[in-house]
Amino acid sequence: MKELSLPLKILIFLLLCIGVFLWLLPLGVAVITSFRTNDDLLMRGFLSLPKELSFRNYGAAWTRGNLNKFLPNSFIITIPSLTFTLFLSSLSAYALSKFRFRGRTIILSVFVGGMMLPFQILLLPVFKLSETIGIYDTYWALIAIHTAFQMGFCTFVLRNYMVTIPDSVTEAARIDGASEFRIYWNIMLPLVIPAMAAIATLEFTWIFNDYIWPLILVRTDRLMPVTAGLAILQGQYIMDWTVIISGALIGTIPTIFVFLFLQKYFIRGLTMGSNK
Amino acid sequence: MGLNKSRMAKLTPWYFLTIPLIIYFLWVIGPMFYTFYLSMTNWDGLSDPQFIGLKNYTKLFRDPVFFVSLKNNLIWVFSFITIPVVIGLALAMILNQSVPGSRFFKASFYSPMVLSLVVCGLVWSWLYNPAQGLLNTFFRSVGLESLAKGWLSDPDLVLGSIIAVAIWRQVGYVMILFLAGLQSVDPFLVEASKIDGCSGWKTFIHVVLPQLQPVTIVVVVISIIDSLRAFDLVSVMTRGGPFNRSSVLANFMYIVSFNNYKMGYGAAVAVILFLISFVFIMMYLSQISKEENY
């Protein structure tokens, strides 16, 4: 199909333009809504030209809707989770890729199988565990489950990447008498930075966008990340869609930012897990 | 010395694995098994769970909401392994050509994936809003009054309305996976079949599609697992209503456990959900181990 005729090429291009327009329409509608006032919408209908545009809804969502608290919470939860899970997965991935030992295949399968579990099978025991060890209703409850759960995917991807690094690299250091930890830290880690960057961007959006765990593990509104915070906002501003939608857009900014600037890594991360 | 060294070598992987495994077992593997036990108990979340055998399961199999949720999950699975796969593959095939602006098109189609399901649910609830939402406003303004519906309040439409949102978000992901898969399609075989006089469609069916089989299996398994996990959209858009018509197992499990405090019963729902997923997880693992043998 490489030598498409020109009319066909133009037709495909036009169809794609229509497709993309329809695909992005919901987002465009959200942006327009967020700048309008509720009265303006109620009285004149959605398809009217707005009389005035303002940032007032954003202000309402930010302060009265508490997004100024929820958004930092999301970072407080996401950044440590991401750091811990990447560090721990790189340890297990190193063991699983560079050593032959009994139980290796089983451990790898357990990590891979675990990454596909429906969360529901973990909800109740993790809720109980968090209460038992006294981290229920703290950031730590969320950091712990994200770190643990994401380890499956990260270990799988990092291990697949490390397998492609020739053993001669680590062997040479071993002969020079470097300690095992030094080999991992000074030789292996720098080599897997590309894979780390790819899964870090992906994991960032996953952890940042998670909704179910804060519902289960946090009771205090003040500690909620932005996803659960938006659900609270939805309850408070039940009739005021302009404020709810503004809040939703604020909650989206960090992941959009990651996506726009790290798009290359983001896509690489997506396909790494499925297509080595 | 030699003995010490080989014992050291045997221990080395465990030196790296111990801490990750402890955390993984405490928060993932252990809880998984503990849910099996909880599903055979009566537990309100506060006092100690009391063992009651299989009573939760017998109750579950007489609960109409369970069956509605199960049916809805299966509809979700079926929609997910057909519609996004077909659209995603078609987009991948088109965008794999030298179309002007293909980078922009790719980025646009997968951009919904970056949004959280909560945000997708909120934005679409607004589009579906019966009085002011874009969808009904549009139908009314072009004189198609009869097509303006209560998308989330009509029991017959609600499930489809929610699944449509999920599909909107999923298509870009499937497209990316197929685009990656297309990288491994042998261009020489494609050329050869063209020289042999095969039409584009025939080449696609007989040459390209067979080579996409591994990625297709991955896409299908991921789609199934994702559709069984579905929770956020339902929770934000309808909470399973009206009359449980949009309920799915994950949502049912949450409501039973955390709104009604019947956690043993909720655990039984989770186990059923797990068992269905397990079949597909196993398929995925066997696919991976097949690739591993190359």
Side-chain angles (χ1 to χ4, degrees), chain A residues 1 33 115 121 159 259 267, chain B residues 35 110 126 194 229 292:
Chain A
M1 290 225 315
T33 304
M115 83 191 193
I121 196 78
R159 178 246 167 219
F259 171 67
I267 300 169
Chain B
T35 302
Y110 66 68
W126 167 236
K194 290 231 181 83
R229 278 176 179 179
E292 207 77 346

Side-chain angles (χ1 to χ4, degrees), chain B:
Chain B
M1 187 65 189
L3 187 75
N4 270 346
K5 222 175 189 171
S6 80
R7 187 175 292 163
M8 267 289 285
K10 262 186 192 158
L11 281 175
T12 315
W14 298 103
Y15 169 63
F16 291 99
L17 275 170
T18 307
I19 294 171
L21 279 181
I22 288 173
I23 293 174
Y24 200 68
F25 273 82
L26 270 176
W27 265 273
V28 179
I29 303 302
M32 189 182 88
F33 288 106
Y34 194 63
T35 302
F36 279 84
Y37 165 72
L38 282 178
S39 76
M40 288 181 277
T41 65
N42 204 350
W43 187 39
D44 59 7
L46 292 169
S47 47
D48 285 334
Q50 288 167 321
F51 190 81
I52 54 164
L54 293 174
K55 268 192 196 140
N56 284 325
Y57 291 95
T58 52
K59 205 170 122 199
L60 201 58
F61 287 116
R62 271 186 257 120
D63 188 336
V65 186
F66 168 70
F67 283 103
V68 173
S69 310
L70 183 63
K71 190 187 91 190
N72 287 346
N73 264 121
L74 295 179
I75 294 174
W76 203 303
V77 169
F78 180 74
S79 317
F80 250 48
I81 56 174
T82 50
I83 305 166
V85 177
V86 172
I87 304 177
L89 178 59
L91 282 174
M93 291 299 296
I94 293 167
L95 292 172
N96 201 39
Q97 317 290 319
S98 51
V99 186
S102 67
R103 271 188 65 128
F104 166 75
F105 288 126
K106 282 180 206 167
S108 303
F109 282 114
Y110 66 68
S111 60
M113 273 209 57
V114 181
L115 313 183
S116 67
L117 284 160
V118 172
V119 167
C120 292
L122 290 175
V123 167
W124 278 81
S125 296
W126 167 236
L127 297 180
Y128 284 143
N129 185 288
Q132 306 159 54
L134 178 72
L135 210 54
N136 283 355
T137 311
F138 173 76
F139 286 134
R140 288 197 194 103
S141 72
V142 295
L144 293 165
E145 228 14 273
S146 60
L147 285 179
K149 309 266 190 194
W151 300 100
L152 297 176
S153 56
D154 183 332
D156 293 327
L157 292 176
V158 62
L159 183 68
S161 302
I162 298 176
I163 292 177
V165 184
I167 289 174
W168 173 68
R169 194 167 174 275
Q170 185 81 356
V171 163
Y173 184 27
V174 174
M175 177 191 76
I176 290 293
L177 293 179
F178 276 122
L179 277 169
L182 283 170
Q183 304 296 311
S184 61
V185 170
D186 188 346
F188 291 111
L189 281 178
V190 178
E191 278 310 306
S193 87
K194 290 231 181 83
I195 291 165
D196 288 350
C198 283
S199 65
W201 181 249
K202 263 194 162 166
T203 308
F204 173 69
I205 296 288
H206 296 292
V207 180
V208 178
L209 215 50
Q211 291 188 69
L212 284 178
Q213 200 208 345
V215 70
T216 309
I217 292 173
V218 168
V219 166
V220 168
V221 173
I222 288 177
S223 302
I224 293 170
I225 304 263
D226 279 352
S227 45
L228 290 171
R229 278 176 179 179
F231 170 81
D232 300 15
L233 284 178
V234 175
S235 172
V236 168
M237 296 176 83
T238 62
R239 289 176 204 283
F243 318 115
N244 298 313
R245 289 291 283 274
S246 64
S247 176
V248 287
L249 289 176
N251 200 256
F252 178 50
M253 185 266 168
Y254 175 79
I255 290 173
V256 172
S257 310
F258 291 94
N259 292 353
N260 306 343
Y261 302 104
K262 291 186 214 156
M263 299 207 174
Y265 196 51
V269 181
V271 167
I272 301 285
L273 192 58
F274 168 81
L275 292 177
I276 303 171
S277 305
F278 188 70
V279 177
F280 299 104
I281 294 175
M282 279 306 168
M283 275 174 57
Y284 187 78
L285 286 178
S286 72
Q287 174 66 23
I288 285 175
S289 59
K290 227 190 286 171
E291 282 170 27
E292 207 77 346
N293 291 338
Y294 278 121

Side-chain angles (χ1 to χ4, degrees), chain A residues 65 113 197 206 227:
Chain A
W206 283 352
T227 43

Side-chain angles (χ1 to χ4, degrees), chain A residues 27 43 45 53 55 72 77 102 109-110 126 147 149 159 165 186 220 224 228 241-242 244 246 250 276:
Chain A
L27 301 176
M43 276 162 44
L53 296 174
F55 282 95
I77 294 157
R102 209 187 296 180
S109 307
V110 165
V126 169
T147 300
F149 191 81
R159 178 246 167 219
I165 293 169
N186 287 351
T220 315
M224 292 286 184
W241 277 99
T242 53
I244 297 170
S246 307
I250 295 174
K276 304 180 284 167

